[in-house]
Amino acid sequence: MAESTIVSNTENLMKYMRLDQKGAVLAEYIWIDGTNGIRTKTKTLSKPVKDYKELPEWNFDGSSTGQAPGDNSDVYIRPCAIFPDPFRGGDNILVMTETWDPDGTPNKFNYRHECVRLMDANAKQQPWFGLEQEYTILGPDGWPYGWPKGGYPAPQGPYYCGVGTGKVFCRDIVEAHYKACLYAGIKISGINAEVMPSQWEFQIGPCEGIELGDHLWVARYLLYRVAEEFGAKITIEPKPIKGDWNGTGLHTNVSTAEMRKDGGMKAIEDACKKLGERHEEHILVYGEGNAERMTGEHETASIDKFSYGVANRGASIRIPRQCAKEGKGYLEDRRPASNACPYRITGVIMETIFGGQEGVDLSKAES
């Protein structure tokens, strides 16, 4: 693997990982910071827990994460979902949290709270989501792993879903992440090598409502942690390598109860039309740097134009051919960038198709 810049010795570490915790449980609290990044800290619990509601609220220094000023820096983290911890094992857990300000209001970077309100208001629609998270594996030098130093591999073509040395890179990281997700109970539905070498994808879903965002964020956390152990870096920048190379996206598959019924194609087409009417509002929350990716080339639509069509990977929205044939199913929004927040993506889709809720603002941090 990559030459590690981290001091890590698995054999020595395992001596300590096997030590008896004397009934204590380690809870890794996870939250989203002011740059759409992941932060964590560990709390010792006196006993195992089965439900996130058993866990205490905690806090952190928001002035060090871009979420609060230095003279009023406390930000509170409230547990909202728990997962088995694949790194520590046993009764140890991962805890997905929301960030809240001292006055009892959601922190401006807390988009989960906004998303929950939209999902709860439209629960009868039974929204299913499946997100395809693309990412690129880099060496410690920031260059894609396996690429010639300062140079480029052969053009795209043999790498997508490829097999064999020279066609795929870092499969061990990908496999380790896959197993870690399964252990944690993440609804990961698959993986594949992508079009650009060292670019990979994992899929989360189908999940209903808010569950998708929780599972995708924790899957991202697991990916970063696994990569740490191999001395590699993960980037979800939407255009990590400029030029004639594919960017990375977060294609979003959406299905409602009405879309899944016989004759659901009408609901799918109606949703596409509504999504087109709010194209600019969606692009605003679909990730940073997306204009470099959405050029109308490399299987993307132009960021300035909205379109939808059957089996068209150059459209903003793709309706799978099988769905068109059956007259029901789902749609795929191909616009979100790989670094977009899944709470914002799924939230704005619900808002556009079914209407907003008073006080909900999925672009509040930009205002």
Side-chain angles (χ1 to χ4, degrees):
M1 283 306 302
E3 181 182 349
S4 179
T5 58
I6 303 166
V7 175
S8 179
N9 186 304
T10 302
E11 184 177 356
N12 283 342
L13 174 63
M14 291 310 297
K15 292 189 297 185
Y16 301 99
M17 295 299 287
R18 287 190 289 265
L19 293 176
D20 187 356
Q21 294 180 191
K22 307 297 184 183
V25 170
L26 305 183
E28 192 75 10
Y29 279 53
I30 302 168
W31 73 94
I32 312 308
D33 69 14
T35 64
N36 198 45
I38 296 173
R39 307 283 181 131
T40 74
K41 57 190 297 191
T42 311
K43 176 179 279 293
T44 303
L45 308 176
S46 61
K47 61 181 180 179
V49 298
K50 300 297 182 183
D51 192 289
Y52 75 87
K53 295 177 182 176
E54 301 175 52
L55 293 166
E57 185 179 273
W58 206 7
N59 64 75
F60 64 90
D61 171 17
S63 69
S64 295
T65 64
Q67 291 169 279
D71 60 356
N72 188 20
S73 62
D74 284 358
V75 176
Y76 295 85
I77 39 180
R78 298 181 181 176
C80 51
I82 59 174
F83 303 83
D85 186 339
F87 302 110
R88 292 172 171 142
D91 292 323
N92 302 305
I93 55 174
L94 307 176
V95 185
M96 193 65 211
T97 69
E98 287 188 10
T99 52
W100 289 72
D101 290 336
D103 62 2
T105 59
N107 184 264
K108 70 177 182 177
F109 298 101
N110 179 359
Y111 289 111
R112 187 184 189 278
H113 177 72
E114 315 289 303
C115 188
V116 165
R117 289 190 58 195
L118 290 161
M119 295 301 174
D120 287 350
N122 296 288
K124 65 181 181 181
Q125 307 295 343
Q126 299 176 351
W128 294 358
F129 299 97
L131 269 64
E132 305 167 21
Q133 177 70 71
E134 295 179 337
Y135 61 95
T136 307
I137 303 174
L138 310 176
D141 59 358
W143 198 238
Y145 189 84
W147 287 34
K149 295 296 182 184
Y152 299 87
Q156 296 181 157
Y159 311 111
Y160 173 70
C161 296
V163 177
T165 301
K167 294 182 180 179
V168 293
F169 303 94
C170 297
R171 191 184 292 275
D172 44 2
I173 289 177
V174 178
E175 293 287 341
H177 173 249
Y178 202 167
K179 295 296 283 288
C181 283
L182 291 172
Y183 180 94
I186 299 297
K187 290 186 176 179
I188 183 169
S189 51
I191 58 171
N192 62 268
E194 268 300 335
V195 177
M196 187 179 80
S198 291
Q199 182 188 64
W200 289 83
E201 174 184 296
F202 64 87
Q203 300 93 34
I204 300 295
C207 297
E208 186 166 340
I210 197 65
E211 183 182 54
L212 185 285
D214 292 343
H215 282 236
L216 183 60
W217 272 117
V218 175
R220 283 178 174 176
Y221 162 76
L222 294 173
L223 179 60
Y224 293 134
R225 277 293 313 275
V226 167
E228 274 185 32
E229 299 190 11
F230 288 88
K233 297 179 181 179
I234 301 296
T235 179
I236 54 173
E237 183 183 343
K239 188 70 174 178
I241 302 297
K242 315 310 177 191
D244 194 19
W245 302 97
N246 273 37
T248 52
L250 188 56
H251 299 156
T252 300
N253 301 283
V254 185
S255 180
T256 65
E258 201 64 30
M259 294 178 186
R260 295 189 291 273
K261 292 180 180 177
D262 289 342
M265 183 56 64
K266 182 180 185 304
I268 293 173
E269 291 178 341
D270 288 346
C272 289
K273 292 172 185 175
K274 290 179 179 179
L275 291 167
E277 291 169 0
R278 298 190 73 218
H279 178 63
E280 292 182 2
E281 289 88 342
H282 281 251
I283 292 300
L284 182 63
V285 302
Y286 274 5
E288 295 292 327
N290 209 10
E292 290 190 62
R293 166 182 163 264
M294 291 189 66
T295 61
E297 299 179 347
H298 301 110
E299 301 181 78
T300 68
S302 169
I303 198 168
D304 300 318
K305 298 177 182 178
F306 178 84
S307 60
Y308 71 92
V310 174
N312 185 356
R313 282 179 164 76
S316 308
I317 306 287
R318 179 180 71 93
I319 301 171
R321 189 172 299 284
Q322 188 66 24
C323 294
K325 181 180 179 181
E326 296 178 357
K328 60 182 178 181
Y330 67 98
L331 63 86
E332 178 193 48
D333 191 339
R334 297 179 60 79
R335 295 172 294 174
S338 49
N339 60 4
C341 172
Y343 298 133
R344 300 178 83 181
I345 295 172
T346 57
V348 76
I349 288 172
M350 295 300 290
E351 183 179 69
T352 295
I353 296 176
F354 300 111
Q357 294 292 305
E358 185 177 354
V360 169
D361 183 1
L362 290 162
S363 59
K364 59 184 179 178
E366 277 80 33
S367 60

